[in-house]
Amino acid sequence: MTPEKPRLHVLLAGPRGFCAGVDRAIRIVEEALKRHGAPVYVRHEIVHNRFVVEGLERQGAIFVEELSEVPDDGQPVVFSAHGVPKSVPAEATSREMYFLDATCPLVSKVHREAERHNARGRHLLLIGHAGHPEVVGTMGQLAEGEMTLVEDAAAALSVTPPAGAALAYTTQTTLSVDDTAEIVAILRARFPGIAEPAKESICYATTNRQAAVKSVAARSDLVIVVGAPNSSNSVRLREVAERAGAPRAVMVQRGAELDPALADGCATVGITAGASAPEVLVQEVVDRLRERFAVTTEEVTVAVEDVTFRLPRMRAVA
């Protein structure tokens, strides 16, 4: 006789998974492949998710790190959702490449704001993580020395802007809302006249997903975040879950990576997904848990998202 599986209640955080910027970026690559055929070159991972990248590779996308890897064959080149320094489209233009910019419009908004502050003579403090593609792209909107990166509260306490400069700040779109609030408070206290973003720079999707994971973390013995280790918003979700009361939070990229025994002794498990992780991967994790447990599920929704972004105009096919 097969022993009865232990019961496990799964809380599915909502919103979770794909945001409008990620969806738009993926559709740009797919539409370019449909119109122009393979290959379509993509500079950097279009979004930080191997499942998505490998799916596009099977359709004929070729991912490169730099434009120097792209041959002059007339095929489209797509810039990733994270945004690129101005030097990248400049290089593409000089080589007469046909390129499509899949930068998330909310990241582009940060770029334009950086330019506006710069035009008004302000030195910009960018709150973000060194080396992240979005930060590299944002810093590359201005000349070297016109922007200073502030990574954390300690950096906010010690940063030394150019003497006498008027200041402004902006942020990477995928940061921890709580951590960023602490950094901003320090900057405001140190530099009372610092100009603020016209609108919150952390994007709606990041804010909503962090609020959602907080709502399930407080009720969960374990939180599972579906996402990639190089995905900033996914890493932040795991951190937020732990701070919000989950005794343990782990991140996996696929259901197969999850050891369901991690949930032994748990009554309730929360699951969420980063903004670049498709829903099919969440279902993989639920199915993996079902192998060991009698699972019941509950949707815990804190916001409903209806944001969509239009695709850029594409060259007509001859």
Side-chain angles (χ1 to χ4, degrees):
M1 185 175 175
T2 305
E4 187 175 326
K5 293 178 180 178
R7 294 181 180 181
L8 184 67
H9 191 54
V10 171
L11 304 176
L12 297 168
R16 61 180 178 273
F18 276 3
C19 63
V22 164
D23 180 67
R24 173 180 180 269
I26 293 168
R27 287 191 294 128
I28 288 171
V29 179
E30 291 176 335
E31 185 63 23
L33 284 163
K34 191 184 301 181
R35 290 190 182 210
H36 302 283
V40 166
Y41 302 96
V42 185
R43 185 187 179 278
H44 192 68
E45 289 187 344
I46 187 69
V47 296
H48 284 155
N49 187 278
R50 286 306 307 168
F51 177 84
V52 171
V53 167
E54 289 167 6
L56 292 172
E57 284 177 333
R58 286 191 293 272
Q59 296 177 54
I62 296 177
F63 291 84
V64 300
E65 285 305 306
E66 299 298 341
L67 294 184
S68 59
E69 302 170 53
V70 178
D72 293 318
D73 59 4
Q75 286 295 102
V77 180
V78 180
F79 302 152
S80 81
H82 310 98
V84 295
K86 282 188 171 180
S87 58
V88 173
E91 179 186 349
T93 300
S94 71
R95 289 180 57 186
E96 298 184 344
M97 289 178 159
Y98 169 39
F99 64 87
L100 297 164
D101 190 353
T103 300
C104 173
L106 300 180
V107 174
S108 295
K109 179 178 71 70
V110 174
H111 292 180
R112 302 294 78 77
E113 187 158 57
E115 291 174 332
R116 285 194 296 272
H117 285 306
N118 184 251
R120 291 168 184 163
R122 296 174 181 142
H123 183 83
L124 196 67
L125 301 180
L126 172 63
I127 302 170
H129 299 296
H132 188 278
E134 183 185 329
V135 166
V136 172
T138 299
M139 295 195 75
Q141 301 305 303
L142 304 183
E144 190 171 348
E146 299 288 343
M147 193 182 306
T148 299
L149 183 64
V150 179
E151 289 200 76
D152 52 28
L157 286 166
S158 63
V159 65
T160 307
L167 299 177
Y169 78 85
T170 191
T171 78
Q172 184 178 335
T173 63
T174 55
L175 300 179
S176 160
V177 173
D178 295 336
D179 287 349
T180 304
E182 179 186 8
I183 295 169
V184 168
I186 293 169
L187 293 178
R188 285 174 178 159
R190 289 191 63 204
F191 312 109
I194 194 167
E196 302 185 352
K199 192 177 179 184
E200 177 62 67
S201 298
I202 296 176
C203 79
Y204 78 93
T206 297
T207 301
N208 287 346
R209 279 150 190 72
Q210 288 180 21
V213 80
K214 284 180 182 180
S215 72
V216 303
R219 297 172 54 192
S220 300
D221 304 303
L222 167 72
V223 170
I224 301 168
V225 178
V226 182
N230 62 338
S231 165
S232 175
N233 75 87
S234 298
V235 173
R236 302 290 84 74
L237 286 174
R238 187 189 61 76
E239 294 171 352
V240 169
E242 288 184 335
R243 292 178 189 174
R248 187 175 186 189
V250 299
M251 186 164 61
V252 297
Q253 297 192 70
R254 301 288 303 268
E257 286 184 18
L258 176 68
D259 178 2
L262 283 176
D264 284 353
C266 295
T268 305
V269 170
I271 300 178
T272 188
S276 49
E279 180 64 15
V280 64
L281 302 185
V282 173
Q283 294 309 312
E284 281 187 3
V285 169
V286 174
D287 290 343
R288 181 74 165 147
L289 291 171
R290 290 190 195 280
E291 295 173 11
R292 191 175 183 90
F293 301 96
V295 171
T296 56
T297 61
E298 176 188 346
E299 291 278 351
V300 180
T301 302
V302 302
V304 176
E305 296 176 348
D306 57 3
V307 178
T308 58
F309 295 130
R310 289 187 297 181
L311 301 189
R313 186 172 297 173
M314 296 191 185
R315 180 186 293 172
V317 179

